[in-house]
Amino acid sequence: MRLDLLRRINEARGSRIAAVTVTRLDSGASSLFLEGEPVDEAVAPAVETALRTGKSATIEIDGHSLFINVYLPPPRIVVIGAVHISQALAGMAAIAGFDLRIIDPRSAFATPERFGQTVLFADWPEDVLKDMPLDAYTALVAVTHDPKIDDFPLAAALAADCFYVGALGSRKTHARRVERLMQAGLDAASIARISAPIGLDIRASSPAEIAVAILAEIIQTLRTRDVIGGRKASA
């Protein structure tokens, strides 16, 4: 692989941007696509599949064998609120391959006794997120029910284009949340990206069931998101 491609791949990985290389096996010629960029129409389906699944593959196009190699940032879940749902979600997320971190300024809730080895920040989200910025490979889950804690990270997640943004609460609670966020200057289209009530509608009732619904919706969103900026004709 060319040195310039390797350099761009390393830059993408450092910036937590997904990348795909397409290499002709007969000649070794390679091209690189970053998530969100237009992709040659001939290879677009394979590139989309690789970006959504994280799996590399060999394909045949016009009699040529191509190797599709994908580099995905490790997906993260940032949970706002050290509550019972968070306890259940932490264990499930680890099994599913997500790096999960919990932020809650209420130090009585965010304790190692309650969360074991889970990474905890017993501080305000405004302060934690300065040193741990959100990005497109992060899911933000707000579950405190407290606007003073939840609203800032929700707005930050929308601004960072997190692939998933969800908030616990009834429709009435969310309607008040929408009013607050609009008063804070967010537009309706951005706010509409918030999943509320949070999680897939599986009629969950217990904290563990709600955690299942949340994780399922996070995975569904990750695997079905838009990953290319469009198709362009092959040269």
Side-chain angles (χ1 to χ4, degrees):
M1 186 181 296
R2 301 196 316 266
L3 183 59
D4 62 319
L5 291 187
L6 289 173
R7 186 178 296 112
R8 291 183 62 198
I9 290 171
N10 285 332
E11 290 172 353
R13 294 178 71 173
S15 301
R16 285 179 52 82
I17 298 172
V20 174
T21 55
V22 179
T23 304
R24 279 186 51 164
L25 295 181
D26 56 356
S27 66
S30 295
S31 55
L32 174 69
F33 301 99
L34 302 183
E35 182 166 345
E37 293 182 345
V39 176
D40 290 343
E41 187 172 1
V43 298
V47 170
E48 287 185 79
T49 298
L51 286 169
R52 290 199 178 105
T53 65
K55 295 180 179 179
S56 302
T58 300
I59 62 171
E60 296 285 334
I61 295 181
D62 296 332
H64 299 288
S65 295
L66 305 176
F67 181 56
I68 312 295
N69 199 14
V70 60
Y71 306 84
L72 296 188
R76 292 175 179 163
I77 301 175
V78 173
V79 182
I80 309 300
V83 299
H84 292 306
I85 294 170
S86 310
Q87 288 178 299
L89 184 58
M92 297 176 190
I95 294 171
F98 289 89
D99 171 17
L100 182 141
R101 303 167 185 197
I102 296 174
I103 304 171
D104 195 326
R106 302 169 300 182
S107 56
F109 291 84
T111 65
E113 290 76 18
R114 298 183 67 228
F115 287 93
Q117 299 301 311
T118 301
V119 178
L120 297 171
F121 298 90
D123 207 340
W124 288 92
E126 294 92 319
D127 296 322
V128 176
L129 295 179
K130 290 177 183 177
D131 299 317
M132 190 182 72
L134 304 171
D135 58 39
Y137 266 80
T138 301
L140 191 286
V141 175
V143 290
T144 74
H145 275 301
D146 187 339
K148 297 189 300 297
I149 302 174
D150 284 348
D151 283 4
F152 175 86
L154 286 171
L158 295 174
D161 199 26
C162 288
F163 76 86
Y164 176 85
V165 184
L168 188 67
S170 66
R171 287 178 173 80
K172 183 179 294 186
T173 297
H174 186 58
R176 294 195 292 269
R177 180 186 294 124
V178 169
E179 290 179 5
R180 293 194 306 272
L181 293 176
M182 291 192 73
Q183 290 173 0
L186 276 73
D187 61 84
S190 295
I191 297 171
R193 292 189 53 228
I194 300 174
S195 177
I198 198 169
L200 294 182
D201 184 6
I202 59 173
R203 302 299 192 267
S205 59
S206 69
E209 290 176 351
I210 295 171
V212 169
I214 293 171
L215 184 58
E217 189 170 46
I218 289 173
I219 293 171
Q220 180 187 63
T221 305
L222 178 65
R223 301 306 182 197
T224 59
R225 72 198 189 284
D226 292 332
V227 292
I228 63 173
R231 287 169 166 80
K232 58 184 180 180
S234 302

